[in-house]
Amino acid sequence: MSADLPLSPDDVAEIVALLDGGAYDRLDIATTRFRLRVARAAGEGGGWTQEWDWQAADAPPTPVAVDAATAPVDEGEGAAVRAPLPGTFYRAPQPGAPPFVEVGDRVGPDTVVGIVETMKLMNPVHAGTSGTVAAIVVGNAAQVDADAVLLRVTP
Amino acid sequence: MIRRLFVANRGEIALRVIRTARRLGMTTILGVSEADRASLPALQADEVAVIGPAPSAASYLSVERVVAAAVESQADAVHPGYGFLSENAGFARALSAAGIALVGPDVASLEAMGDKLRARAVGVAAGLPVVPGGEAADKAAARTRAEETGYPLLIKAVAGGGGRGMKRVDAPGELDGAIDVAMAEAQAAFGDARVYVERFIGRGRHVEVQVLGDGTRAIHLGTRDCSIQRRFQKLVEEAPAPGIPPDRLHALQASAVRLAEHLGYRGAGTVEYLVDADTFDFFFLEMNARIQVEHPVTEAVTGIDLVEQQLLVADGQPLGLRQDEIRLAGHAIEVRINAEDADADFRPSPGTVTRAAWPAGPGIRVDTHVGNGGKVPPFYDSLIGKLIVRGDDRPAAVARLAAALDTMAIEGVHTTQGLHRRIAADPRFITGGVDTRFFGGLAHG
């Protein structure tokens, strides 16, 4: 791999300096590990961009799997309350605290029913509708995709 | 001799550390979470060790797992990057017990700078100025404090927070009345009448000094200004801090070196100050005992690779640089490109970056782990890249920043690019030397 060391930021700057004086508008470099495209940007600014495409590592990528339990199943009674963002779903404001809601609880549109933590930010999940919590679909601390069904509320 | 370096971080800083370590001939081992196995840093490292599942608490923040992985991979040293375990004294102790060097300061330095009150006390012991102030249990004590702090001053409830019970006093004649009201309010609101009297700094700037030490000797590499912040998160950083009179600048830098030498500091560190934008009085706040996100602006104006300096010191070598060898040339600005929707209250925007056309060219550096098709997982912070520009002077750097931001094209996730374009076009920013209220006064939308 050391034979194919990626170009440093200084290398890229030098490539652009060379191209900038000439008539070429783009340079395309491909190796077994990466492809780099340096191109004159559209418009009058005279700027340049760099785009990198990397070959995937030998090991197949491990996607952040959404297991069956957290898949956005949309069946069952009542209105689905969905995750506003992908992240980690929490049923309680902090470890050990009672859950925001349990099955059978009455909720209003503004009732907080859980939290989705995304990129270190806590995003409250609101019921969005009035009714009774019929089912909690996703377990505490489960990874969820955006729009995954978290719980169901019947009128 | 560091032959095998374990990198205990992710994202752009992991890639940044790997780049220098490999140039120095080290073998790099990257500790990754399950979510980062196919990340660009994992692709670039010589070896990869999976330390745990995606959530940081069970991977990047787990002292036990990171140390075990470093031992398992027979690392000589660990580079912690920034954030995560980088300033964790327990981590430093565990590595030491395992016979592995930390690329960072001694445990004693980490502990001395571990919290703001402790840091303030150490700063005072090293002779650094701190924001004048202190507690007052009654009116007479408050008057004494006021003589120490000068005017304008702020009276705060000791038990308070979030601005409640705060009173600003501009002249001695207003003091007695203000204390009465503040104490009564503090008693009513918190059941505790004690107040804290402190100098009021109406227009404050966040200025920091980069230092390097080898345990005996320390030098500084000039200042950075990080006054443009949102909710205490830095957005834009530049080096050097603009518009500070030379005598104040020299005193500020000298005091940072004094603190580093007082601590017997080893490695790279940053001494942070609150600087009064009107008087240029400066006050020590805290020291960050690690590499900073914004270190590239210092590299851009000094030509010094800070990660290389960290690795050399961690390897037990004396500092190879003298203060009189440090020359600052030009001006550099960094903007943080975060996967956030600046038009929707900075809502996080994880996902797949379908296209990442970063700016390129002379005077432009981009530190990023995100190329075309790159993933931004929801588990970690939102930084996807840093755009760093350098110019021969500040106006040239600002012009280059604006042009670079115009050419950049990131697709698939929302980013802070548009916000930075507005900042780069803001007359206050173009003039330079803004205070920490800048962001609040920025034209939105």
Side-chain angles (χ1 to χ4, degrees):
Chain A
M1 180 155 146
S2 53
D4 196 13
L5 202 64
L7 301 166
S8 73
D10 284 347
D11 297 332
V12 176
E14 275 182 41
I15 289 171
V16 172
L18 288 172
L19 290 174
D20 202 32
Y24 292 102
D25 284 333
R26 61 188 299 141
L27 175 77
D28 204 326
I29 302 171
T31 74
T32 54
R33 298 194 77 86
F34 67 86
R35 178 178 176 195
L36 167 64
R37 278 169 286 185
V38 176
R40 210 184 286 270
E44 294 169 11
W48 291 78
T49 59
Q50 49 178 322
E51 276 184 71
W52 297 79
D53 288 272
W54 295 92
Q55 294 299 313
D58 319 326
T62 23
V64 183
V66 178
D67 59 38
T70 66
V73 185
D74 193 10
E75 42 195 51
E77 262 185 85
V81 180
R82 296 170 184 275
L85 289 163
T88 307
F89 175 63
Y90 293 108
R91 289 192 53 202
Q94 58 211 42
F100 289 104
V101 291
E102 294 283 12
V103 171
D105 284 358
R106 293 287 302 169
V107 295
D110 295 330
T111 306
V112 174
V113 297
I115 288 173
V116 172
E117 179 189 357
T118 303
M119 300 174 122
K120 304 204 294 194
L121 281 180
M122 299 297 175
N123 305 280
V125 181
H126 300 279
T129 182
S130 294
T132 304
V133 177
I136 290 164
V137 180
V138 172
N140 190 52
Q143 306 305 325
V144 296
D145 278 341
D147 291 330
V149 177
L150 304 173
L151 40 89
R152 309 199 74 90
V153 175
T154 47
Chain B
M1 181 79 184
I2 304 176
R3 290 199 171 81
R4 294 177 60 78
L5 179 72
F6 190 96
V7 180
N9 214 299
R10 65 177 305 282
E12 65 86 20
I13 193 63
L15 207 52
R16 163 75 190 85
V17 170
I18 289 168
R19 194 167 70 231
T20 290
R22 292 185 64 182
R23 183 167 59 71
L24 299 178
M26 298 172 187
T27 298
T28 55
I29 308 122
L30 180 69
V32 297
S33 75
E34 294 282 358
D36 282 335
R37 284 168 68 148
S39 68
L40 186 51
L43 194 62
Q44 296 295 324
D46 296 297
E47 297 170 27
V48 170
V50 177
I51 49 176
S56 335
S59 50
Y60 298 107
L61 281 172
S62 166
V63 171
E64 199 179 316
R65 290 185 185 191
V66 172
V67 173
V71 169
E72 173 83 7
S73 60
Q74 299 182 305
D76 308 306
V78 171
H79 196 302
Y82 50 69
F84 293 132
L85 298 174
S86 61
E87 292 177 281
N88 185 313
F91 179 59
R93 269 192 296 269
L95 282 178
S96 169
I100 298 175
L102 172 71
V103 182
D106 298 336
V107 172
S109 292
L110 288 171
E111 285 177 337
M113 293 296 131
D115 71 72
K116 290 192 187 197
L117 276 178
R118 179 97 191 269
R120 180 181 162 108
V122 174
V124 170
L128 273 63
V130 295
V131 178
E135 237 178 85
D138 55 38
K139 205 183 236 177
R143 284 198 200 107
T144 310
R145 288 290 184 201
E147 279 167 31
E148 294 162 14
T149 63
Y151 295 85
L153 60 80
L154 215 52
I155 304 175
K156 301 173 175 177
V158 167
R164 289 191 69 186
M166 267 211 264
K167 291 272 170 286
R168 177 179 164 172
V169 183
D170 289 314
E174 304 166 13
L175 183 65
D176 278 7
I179 293 171
D180 284 339
V181 175
M183 286 189 159
E185 282 186 7
Q187 180 66 43
F190 311 107
D192 180 350
R194 286 176 307 149
V195 292
Y196 191 94
V197 179
E198 163 183 291
R199 165 86 65 87
F200 175 71
I201 293 156
R203 300 205 314 124
R205 288 168 58 180
H206 178 113
V207 176
E208 58 190 33
V209 179
Q210 176 69 55
V211 294
L212 284 173
D214 60 12
T216 310
R217 208 162 60 78
I219 60 170
H220 72 83
L221 272 64
T223 53
R224 293 187 288 258
D225 192 315
C226 315
S227 298
I228 301 185
Q229 307 184 356
R230 173 184 175 266
R231 295 186 185 168
F232 304 106
Q233 298 296 306
K234 296 168 186 170
L235 292 167
V236 180
E237 301 104 343
E238 56 186 292
I244 299 191
D247 62 323
R248 296 278 78 198
L249 191 66
H250 291 144
L252 178 78
Q253 293 169 160
S255 81
V257 171
R258 201 156 64 237
L259 178 65
E261 291 189 336
H262 176 84
L263 290 167
Y265 194 82
R266 296 180 73 246
T270 296
V271 186
E272 298 195 334
Y273 296 86
L274 175 63
V275 173
D276 188 313
D278 297 313
T279 65
F280 300 103
D281 286 337
F282 60 87
F283 308 101
F284 167 67
L285 294 175
E286 61 179 323
M287 180 174 191
N288 292 318
R290 54 171 164 82
I291 195 82
Q292 301 264 110
V293 176
E294 60 271 25
H295 77 276
V297 288
T298 297
E299 295 185 329
V301 295
T302 60
I304 292 166
D305 181 332
L306 284 168
V307 173
E308 176 177 0
Q309 294 299 316
Q310 286 190 296
L311 291 168
L312 294 176
V313 172
D315 206 15
Q317 300 184 32
L319 217 50
L321 296 163
R322 292 194 320 266
Q323 189 67 59
D324 60 12
E325 292 174 323
I326 309 299
R327 293 268 183 278
L328 302 187
H331 197 91
I333 305 171
E334 171 182 289
V335 297
R336 299 189 187 191
I337 307 299
N338 295 336
E340 292 169 4
D341 187 350
D343 297 325
D345 199 27
F346 292 80
R347 178 185 166 110
S349 182
T352 299
V353 176
T354 49
R355 178 167 178 244
W358 295 99
I364 293 175
R365 164 176 168 183
V366 178
D367 278 18
T368 179
H369 57 295
V370 176
N372 286 344
K375 300 278 191 292
V376 184
F379 310 106
Y380 314 109
D381 73 29
S382 58
L383 182 70
I384 61 168
K386 308 184 302 203
L387 167 62
I388 303 110
V389 296
R390 188 197 163 280
D392 288 338
D393 54 21
R394 191 172 185 280
V398 171
R400 184 162 272 160
L401 174 67
L405 284 165
D406 282 347
T407 63
M408 192 172 130
I410 308 291
E411 295 164 16
V413 298
H414 291 283
T415 75
T416 47
Q417 176 186 2
L419 169 76
H420 287 304
R421 290 177 72 167
R422 293 205 296 277
I423 292 173
D426 189 291
R428 298 170 301 158
F429 176 68
I430 292 169
T431 302
V434 300
D435 63 70
T436 52
R437 298 172 312 171
F438 174 88
F439 183 80
L442 189 66
H444 292 285

